[in-house]
Amino acid sequence: MSANPSLSLNLVEDIRQLTTFPFMVNALEAGTIVAVLGAVTGWYVVLRRQAFAGHTLSVMAFPGATGAALLGIPTSLGYYLACGAAALLMRGTGRARAASRSAETAAVGTIQAAGLAAGYLFLSLNQQLLTGTETLLFGTFLGISRSQVVVLLAVAAGALLAVAVCARPLLLATLDREVARAGGLPVAALDLGFLLILAAAVATTSQITGALLVFALLIAPAAAAQQVTMRPLRSLALSVVFALLVVWLGLGVAYFSPYPVGFWITTFAFGLYLLAAGGRRLARA
């Protein structure tokens, strides 16, 4: 990074500064990958009203990272293991949803509380990790390697392929579970499959935004897109556009400021949602 990177009114010069160093190019590539993955999976999360489950999975990235550091294994592996395990634990809440929304919320909240407790325990047992807590929680674009970008791309490609394969039955099961079940669709299997896809998306996105702020990128662009239009293809495409805009702006401004990238991504995502929601209200008025 240059000694004093400064934002100017010359867009070409600003972009040149952003792409001068390999670590920033890696961050932009990784950010693009997680934006697309987060937008697609987040669109289904918002439509399925599983935002709380998505938040719980994002919280589970914290004990995953701290536990991995304590064991001496790669932090990214800890993200995937913890989020995948949480998705499997939440599998039973899919049955509870049809009978009782409160039962589902209680089960997911219990998993979240246990995950946070485990994360702080692992953090206290590993004193060397205390200096990197901010990075784990709020993200950073520093230290993203070329090999990490390749892994993110492979995971995202696999998750997006899985979404594409089950997109239509998953949409039907989301909009009307009883009709989907009557039509012979494996609704329970779709629930589990989507939770695992969501776990992969959360674990991937956490490596850019941090464990606590992944929720903003996962939910806000998709929620903003659905404020604009509910037509599936248009809304999904708009969700991807919004997520890319948020990530690129967040990474760009973070490069020129002392504040973490997660803060900027969250701020832009929230502002985008407010604009979309406000525009919809004005259109109705």
Side-chain angles (χ1 to χ4, degrees):
M1 185 183 295
S2 56
N4 293 293
S6 57
L7 191 63
S8 69
L9 297 179
N10 187 337
L11 182 60
V12 175
E13 174 60 21
D14 292 338
I15 294 176
R16 187 198 66 79
Q17 290 188 66
L18 281 174
T19 56
T20 297
F21 298 98
F23 79 87
M24 199 61 205
V25 174
N26 292 339
L28 289 168
E29 291 176 349
T32 299
I33 293 168
V34 301
V36 174
L37 179 59
V40 172
T41 55
W43 187 83
Y44 277 99
V45 169
V46 174
L47 195 64
R48 291 168 64 86
R49 298 180 181 180
Q50 287 186 301
F52 188 44
H55 177 59
T56 296
L57 287 175
S58 69
V59 168
M60 292 302 294
F62 173 56
T66 54
L70 182 63
L71 295 174
I73 63 176
T75 302
S76 58
L77 179 59
Y79 284 134
Y80 291 112
L81 291 176
C83 291
L88 292 174
L89 286 174
M90 287 192 292
R91 165 66 184 86
T93 64
R95 299 191 184 99
R97 175 167 32 176
S100 170
R101 173 68 65 176
S102 62
E104 177 193 12
T105 302
V108 174
T110 300
I111 294 171
Q112 181 179 132
L116 281 173
Y120 283 111
L121 173 63
F122 299 152
L123 189 66
S124 65
L125 293 175
N126 188 4
Q127 298 298 324
Q128 296 179 352
L129 190 61
L130 293 177
T131 57
T133 305
E134 181 180 314
T135 296
L136 292 177
L137 297 179
F138 303 107
T140 180
F141 54 74
L142 297 174
I144 299 177
S145 64
R146 173 57 49 179
S147 60
Q148 189 175 7
V149 173
V150 172
V151 171
L152 293 179
L153 179 60
V155 172
L160 290 173
L161 179 60
V163 172
V165 168
C166 64
R168 291 178 66 86
L170 181 61
L171 181 60
L172 178 58
T174 298
L175 297 177
D176 197 323
R177 294 174 62 84
E178 295 306 319
V179 171
R181 186 177 289 110
L185 289 179
V187 175
L190 287 171
D191 287 342
L192 174 59
F194 179 71
L195 278 177
L196 292 174
I197 292 171
L198 179 58
V202 168
T204 301
T205 307
S206 296
Q207 298 175 53
I208 300 295
T209 63
L212 295 186
L213 301 181
V214 60
F215 187 65
L217 184 59
L218 189 70
I219 300 300
Q226 291 182 25
Q227 289 288 326
V228 177
T229 177
M230 284 303 297
R231 294 188 175 184
L233 290 179
R234 291 184 182 180
S235 181
L236 188 58
L238 194 58
S239 177
V240 172
V241 171
F242 284 166
L244 288 171
L245 182 63
V246 165
V247 169
W248 288 342
L249 282 175
L251 285 169
V253 175
Y255 177 79
F256 295 103
S257 79
Y259 304 110
V261 62
F263 164 76
W264 292 112
I265 288 178
T266 303
T267 300
F268 289 132
F270 179 63
L272 180 65
Y273 176 77
L274 288 181
L275 287 175
R280 184 177 182 178
R281 292 198 174 204
L282 288 176
R284 286 179 173 178

